[in-house]
Amino acid sequence: AADDLPDSVSCGTVEVPVDYARPDGRKIRLTVSRTEASGRYAGHRVARQGALVFNPGGPGGNGMYFPMVGVMPEWAHLAAAYDLVGYAPRGVGRSAPLSCVDPAKFAKAPSQAPTHPSAVYKRRRVAHAKAYARECGERNRDLAHYSTPDNARDLDVLRAALGERKLTFLGSSYGTYLGAVYAQLYPSHVRRMVFDSAVDPRPDRIWYEDNLRQSAAFERRWGDFRAWVARHDATYHLGDTAGAVQRSYDKARARLARTPAGGKVGPGQLQAAFLKAGYYDDYWPTRALALSAYLHGDPKPLIGQAAPPPRAAVEDENAAAVYTAVECNDAPWPRDFATWDRDNTRLARRAPFETWDNAWMNLPCAYWPVPPRQPVDVHPLPGLLPPTLILAAERDAATPYEGAVELHRRIPGSALVTERGAGTHGIAGGPNDCVNARMDAYLLEGRVPEGGAASCAPHQEPTPLG
């Protein structure tokens, strides 16, 4: 099997046109992975219900690994009833991979990550964003055809290639926006659809405003992490208040700015490593342990967790190229850096943790060589879609909870399941049995919560590692 998948996973390709306005023009092949429904669960025969197609988000995420989740107990019931299908969207992995710069030059380490950058630093980053956008345009003649509507059309070709009259789909993070656009374009082709950790689909939020709100939400989640570390000060010795933990982090960042750990971990790598703790709380124990070890004289755990692995350079550059192309193409962005400077300077006063790093990641969109499209207005007419299910954690930073509420409002017949007081990004098939039971009831039986909403208590907080 391709992509280092085991022989139990079958792989193939599906052909799609680069430009749907010219369906007989140039074609590309998307890689697809599948395991067949096992047909048995807990000793009982289970009727096959077709294919369950997954998109992990990004944009730029590769879903080829998805069929392997079937061996996990949380997915076993679904794996009995469904063929589990993953794929690499256009531009991703082996699906006509998109590249904007030489991967060896993409992630320079060590790097700085100032929370309140100087004018000189900003000018340097603007020049970098302009060069990246220009090189992306020069290297890719089909750059205009990486967008969410293109991805939605590809998804419909995949549905047909799988022999499915209607699509059963699970989208996580950006995958929820892809699913929402698909539902708008092809409402009669939807069988069941799960939106896990929903992007706010409002046309005036995609993507510039959504990214500002994401940075604000990461500040809150960063606070949750620091409070957890403080509660376990006996283990980590980083401070017994969230403020004291912040001071420990700032001390490490200042030290790394002067002397990068292992020659590779500077403030930029530290920030990227701890951003993962904003996404997933199962990173909390190992990140806290690494920070503590570093401040107490042992840099090895931090180097192990934060130094960019050279073998990931190609994959990381590819994911970033697709992310940038799709978001830049999907909607208009401010074209004047003065707007970015004003909005992010203001936001960084109350949300310093992720604001400027997020801005730099998206800044090529200000100089993008392809004219942007007008975003799809997701608002299917009542009666066109079957019931759909939205899953959301209340304190999710990457896709703030208000996005799930807005998607629920926009999609008639949708039901919203909320994990209260939790903030992990992507909760389908995770540690919350209540969430998983709701997803199983929907995907296996078509049942949604009465009244269109339900709550689940938070999953257990991580246990500290000493």
Side-chain angles (χ1 to χ4, degrees), residues 170-226:
L170 166 60
S172 185
S173 192
Y174 164 75
T176 67
Y177 184 57
L178 169 58
V181 170
Y182 182 93
Q184 180 68 34
L185 298 179
Y186 303 104
S188 65
H189 294 185
V190 175
R191 177 179 176 266
R192 289 176 191 156
M193 190 168 269
V194 179
F195 304 94
D196 175 22
S197 304
V199 168
D200 191 324
R202 277 175 269 197
D204 61 346
R205 297 275 176 94
I206 295 287
W207 284 102
Y208 180 74
E209 188 68 31
D210 271 342
N211 278 300
L212 289 171
R213 289 166 190 272
Q214 182 187 68
S215 293
F218 266 115
E219 195 66 31
R220 182 177 69 175
R221 194 63 182 148
W222 173 236
D224 292 348
F225 168 68
R226 289 183 291 119

Side-chain angles (χ1 to χ4, degrees), residues 108-118 121-122 124-125 219 222 246 249-250 252-258 260 264-275 306 348 351-361:
K108 292 193 179 75
S111 62
Q112 300 298 319
T115 50
H116 303 288
S118 67
Y121 185 86
K122 288 174 185 175
R124 197 158 68 235
R125 293 307 298 246
E219 195 66 31
W222 173 236
Q246 180 69 52
Y249 179 83
D250 290 343
R253 191 173 56 188
R255 190 185 291 176
L256 290 166
R258 292 190 301 273
K264 285 288 182 189
V265 179
Q269 290 64 48
L270 179 76
Q271 205 276 339
F274 278 82
L275 183 64
F353 176 67
E354 163 67 353
T355 293
W356 277 108
D357 272 34
N358 206 358
W360 305 135
M361 185 172 172

Side-chain angles (χ1 to χ4, degrees), residues 190-195 384-390 411-415 442-443 446-449:
V190 175
R191 177 179 176 266
R192 289 176 191 156
M193 190 168 269
V194 179
F195 304 94
L384 292 184
L385 278 175
T388 55
L389 189 69
I390 302 166
I411 297 196
S414 63
Y442 172 68
L443 286 174
R447 285 194 290 122
V448 294

Side-chain angles (χ1 to χ4, degrees), residues 405-440:
V405 174
E406 179 64 20
L407 186 64
H408 179 40
R409 191 183 72 75
R410 283 174 167 260
I411 297 196
S414 63
L416 173 59
V417 174
T418 303
E419 186 182 18
R420 298 284 173 203
T424 283
H425 180 61
I427 59 175
N432 194 311
D433 292 341
C434 167
V435 171
N436 294 337
R438 292 288 186 183
M439 181 170 72
D440 282 3

Side-chain angles (χ1 to χ4, degrees), residues 35-49 76-83:
T35 50
E36 291 186 8
S38 69
R40 296 196 74 79
Y41 178 71
H44 300 288
R45 286 178 62 81
V46 175
R48 181 179 176 275
Q49 295 198 36
H77 206 162
L78 292 174
Y82 286 98
D83 297 355

Side-chain angles (χ1 to χ4, degrees), residues 285-310:
T286 52
R287 290 296 186 264
L289 199 61
L291 183 64
S292 178
Y294 173 73
L295 287 172
H296 292 94
D298 177 11
K300 285 196 198 70
L302 186 63
I303 294 166
Q305 291 179 41

